[in-house]
Amino acid sequence: MNAPFKNLIDGEWTAAAHASRNINPSNTGDVVGEYAQGTVEDLNNAVAAAKAAFPAWSRTTPQERYEVLKKASDEILARKDELGRLLSREEGKTLAEGIGEAARAGQIFAFFAGECLRAGGEMVPSVRPGVGVEITREPVGIVGMITPWNFPIAIPAWKIAPALAWGNCVVIKPADLVPGSAWALVDIIQRAGLPKGVLNLVMGRGSVVGQALLEHKDVAAISFTGSVATGRKVAAACIASSPMKKVQLEMGGKNPLVVLDDADLKTAVEVAVNGAFFSTGQRCTASSRLIVQAGIHDRFVEACIERLKGVVVDDALKAGTHIGPVVDQSQLDQDLKYIQIAKDEGGRLAFGGELLKRETPGFYLQPALFTETTNAMRISREEVFGPVANIVRVKDYDEALAVANDTEFGLSSGICTTSLKYATHFKRNSEAGMVMVNLPTAGVDYHVPFGGRKGSSYGPREQGAYAKEFYSTVKTAYTLA
């Protein structure tokens, strides 16, 4: 085994006393690497480095920041196959999905390189004679980031890139389960020309490193992606800190896909299977609730089962694999728990839900599709975060919309229909931050805002030009002529 991968603190790769093993979920005998387990002292040193770097970095020119982000983008895209393979090996996405995510990270950095040059302000007349008013944006300061395991390079990218573009310094704690992709990303960004201390990586346990990040008085803002329960704790800690921290939360989803009688059946099935089960269903935007009108219900169920019979679950790196393994034993246990809960509540397991054996030991689970469920069941109310979906039968569009909106979440929603009337009404009346028509609920663009409503999101949107709402603060200045 090679030496453990180190934390990046003040521009130096810093060893830790302890390390954790990064295990391949497709082959639990394969250790991707050992990664440093940071301490509170490491975190404090990282914040101190960011604080020291902030005055100079926050006053760099747009061109200087553009050049760093563009150079990082170029290397990410040039190495997307290598980075994608690492991602698939540590997280379990198929190789095609892993390479696609790595490419997206490069595209994100290219977009925000451009945003460096698009920063502007306003000059407006005052209501008072002889007074001028300037409205500008400035960096927030030190931004702490806590990222999840399911998109281990894209989510760090879409947080780090806008933060740097707007002149902030960063301390990031990636998911302890899959630190490899974040480590590789930070290495690329640092070598792209960042001054020391601007970007710091502290890997380790959330209860140690994450908690210290939330409590540190010099951290001005926290961007978090993860579970609702943890998100609530993050928000409470940010409000309780002195001074209070700006906070951005992206959390769970129980995303509905409505299928109306007039839908094209083939399109609806592809949209449902892709949205519900690809990436092993481990996406906060996954279509876990399939709300199907009575007239097409039986044909839709039959066609979905036939489609699922052709889905190959296997090693993420193997050619021909459609769905890789669940990320680890803990998540697999949660998936199996909810499959049993759905059975106990009266749902009918129409397909799958069985553990699978493959050439190598891994966390393989056949996609599970339930029918005869209601929206009151736990399988319809609680996020599973795995390859598990349930179908709720409804009589008409009005009931479908009501069921779709009857949830504490509001991240993504979708509808399959050939009716312009229903598509238009659904886009306006769906209580979700993102709405898809004849497209999977999972799958978004990087240049437009990402986020939801209700229990799914809190604070400003991520991605696209809207990212500036979180990573910058507005200043209004008055001058007497």
Side-chain angles (χ1 to χ4, degrees), residues 228 251-257 281 283-291 334 338 342 373-375 377-390 392 403-414 431-432 441 453-456:
V228 174
M251 299 172 285
K254 197 65 186 175
N255 308 293
L257 174 68
R283 300 182 283 193
C284 56
T285 51
S287 313
S288 50
R289 289 187 300 146
L290 308 177
I291 301 166
Q334 178 168 304
Y338 275 100
T373 65
T374 71
N375 207 48
M377 293 178 177
R378 288 180 65 186
I379 194 67
S380 297
R381 312 301 299 180
E382 301 171 15
E383 186 176 39
V384 179
F385 218 68
V388 182
N390 64 292
V392 178
V403 170
N405 287 336
D406 180 19
T407 174
E408 67 179 55
F409 298 104
L411 183 55
S412 184
S413 68
E431 296 171 0
T441 58
R453 302 181 183 180
K454 299 191 273 191
S456 290

Side-chain angles (χ1 to χ4, degrees), residues 74 203 234 243 288 308 380:
D74 290 345
M203 301 175 287
V234 169
S288 50
L308 287 170
S380 297

Side-chain angles (χ1 to χ4, degrees), residues 166-227:
W166 281 98
N168 299 284
C169 291
V170 172
V171 178
I172 182 169
K173 191 214 85 66
D176 193 35
L177 185 62
V178 289
S181 294
W183 190 96
L185 177 66
V186 167
D187 175 56
I188 289 171
I189 303 166
Q190 183 64 26
R191 289 187 292 96
L194 277 184
K196 68 176 187 176
V198 173
L199 174 62
N200 302 271
L201 169 74
V202 185
M203 301 175 287
R205 302 295 298 171
S207 58
V208 177
V209 176
Q211 190 62 38
L213 189 61
L214 295 178
E215 295 173 353
H216 202 293
K217 65 181 179 60
D218 291 331
V219 175
I222 295 287
S223 181
F224 166 84
T225 301
S227 70

Side-chain angles (χ1 to χ4, degrees), residues 32-70:
V32 179
E34 294 191 349
Y35 290 80
Q37 289 280 288
T39 63
V40 173
E41 182 181 3
D42 292 329
L43 188 281
N44 290 339
N45 290 338
V47 174
K51 185 177 181 179
F54 180 72
W57 176 250
S58 64
R59 287 166 176 78
T60 52
T61 65
Q63 184 66 29
E64 289 174 285
R65 297 194 297 277
Y66 165 85
E67 288 173 359
V68 171
L69 269 64
K70 183 62 169 62

Side-chain angles (χ1 to χ4, degrees), residues 41-101:
E41 182 181 3
D42 292 329
L43 188 281
N44 290 339
N45 290 338
V47 174
K51 185 177 181 179
F54 180 72
W57 176 250
S58 64
R59 287 166 176 78
T60 52
T61 65
Q63 184 66 29
E64 289 174 285
R65 297 194 297 277
Y66 165 85
E67 288 173 359
V68 171
L69 269 64
K70 183 62 169 62
K71 187 174 180 181
S73 169
D74 290 345
E75 182 170 345
I76 294 166
L77 292 172
R79 295 174 56 193
K80 68 181 188 298
D81 290 355
E82 171 200 345
L83 294 169
R85 187 175 185 84
L86 169 63
L87 191 159
S88 296
R89 189 176 164 212
E90 72 169 349
E91 193 270 347
K93 281 186 174 73
T94 65
L95 186 56
E97 291 171 329
I99 293 171
E101 184 178 331

Side-chain angles (χ1 to χ4, degrees), residues 131-464:
V131 176
V133 182
E134 297 172 73
I135 305 169
T136 55
R137 288 185 178 272
E138 297 181 353
V140 173
I142 300 170
V143 181
M145 300 174 179
I146 301 173
T147 59
W149 52 260
N150 62 322
F151 282 90
I153 196 168
I155 292 180
W158 79 52
K159 293 183 188 295
I160 294 172
L164 297 180
W166 281 98
N168 299 284
C169 291
V170 172
V171 178
I172 182 169
K173 191 214 85 66
D176 193 35
L177 185 62
V178 289
S181 294
W183 190 96
L185 177 66
V186 167
D187 175 56
I188 289 171
I189 303 166
Q190 183 64 26
R191 289 187 292 96
L194 277 184
K196 68 176 187 176
V198 173
L199 174 62
N200 302 271
L201 169 74
V202 185
M203 301 175 287
R205 302 295 298 171
S207 58
V208 177
V209 176
Q211 190 62 38
L213 189 61
L214 295 178
E215 295 173 353
H216 202 293
K217 65 181 179 60
D218 291 331
V219 175
I222 295 287
S223 181
F224 166 84
T225 301
S227 70
V228 174
T230 303
R232 291 183 185 276
K233 294 176 183 178
V234 169
C238 289
I239 296 300
S241 68
S242 182
M244 289 189 290
K245 293 174 170 53
K246 196 171 186 180
V247 63
Q248 177 185 61
L249 308 175
E250 288 298 339
M251 299 172 285
K254 197 65 186 175
N255 308 293
L257 174 68
V258 170
V259 179
L260 297 184
D261 285 347
D262 67 0
D264 177 83
L265 182 61
K266 182 177 180 181
T267 297
V269 169
E270 288 302 314
V271 165
V273 170
N274 181 304
F277 301 114
F278 280 37
S279 294
T280 323
Q282 296 173 157
R283 300 182 283 193
C284 56
T285 51
S287 313
S288 50
R289 289 187 300 146
L290 308 177
I291 301 166
V292 184
Q293 196 172 355
I296 198 174
H297 177 276
D298 292 352
R299 289 183 293 129
F300 177 80
V301 171
E302 181 181 358
C304 277
I305 292 172
E306 286 303 310
R307 177 70 177 84
L308 287 170
K309 288 178 180 177
V311 169
V312 176
V313 180
D314 209 330
D315 189 315
L317 299 179
K318 183 180 292 187
T321 296
H322 300 132
I323 297 175
V326 175
V327 72
D328 71 349
Q329 185 64 53
S330 176
Q331 185 60 49
L332 180 60
D333 290 344
Q334 178 168 304
D335 296 344
L336 294 172
K337 180 187 78 172
Y338 275 100
I339 288 171
Q340 188 59 50
I341 286 171
K343 291 178 180 178
D344 293 344
E345 288 188 321
R348 184 177 76 86
L349 184 57
F351 181 85
E354 301 295 328
L355 291 174
L356 300 173
K357 289 187 177 181
R358 293 297 181 255
E359 292 179 12
T360 53
F363 308 112
Y364 297 106
L365 178 63
Q366 192 177 31
L369 180 66
F370 281 91
T371 60
E372 308 306 322
T373 65
T374 71
N375 207 48
M377 293 178 177
R378 288 180 65 186
I379 194 67
S380 297
R381 312 301 299 180
E382 301 171 15
E383 186 176 39
V384 179
F385 218 68
V388 182
N390 64 292
I391 295 175
V392 178
R393 188 197 305 251
V394 294
K395 64 179 183 296
D396 56 24
Y397 170 77
D398 289 338
E399 185 183 4
L401 178 63
V403 170
N405 287 336
D406 180 19
T407 174
E408 67 179 55
F409 298 104
L411 183 55
S412 184
S413 68
I415 187 169
C416 290
T417 180
T418 55
S419 167
L420 179 60
K421 170 188 171 182
Y422 288 133
T424 302
H425 189 272
F426 188 81
K427 285 188 289 184
R428 176 62 185 84
N429 292 279
S430 172
E431 296 171 0
M434 299 175 289
V435 181
M436 315 293 179
V437 178
N438 296 321
L439 289 167
T441 58
V444 296
D445 292 353
Y446 61 86
H447 69 303
V448 291
F450 176 97
R453 302 181 183 180
K454 299 191 273 191
S456 290
S457 302
Y458 182 84
R461 289 288 193 262
E462 295 199 280
Q463 300 196 57

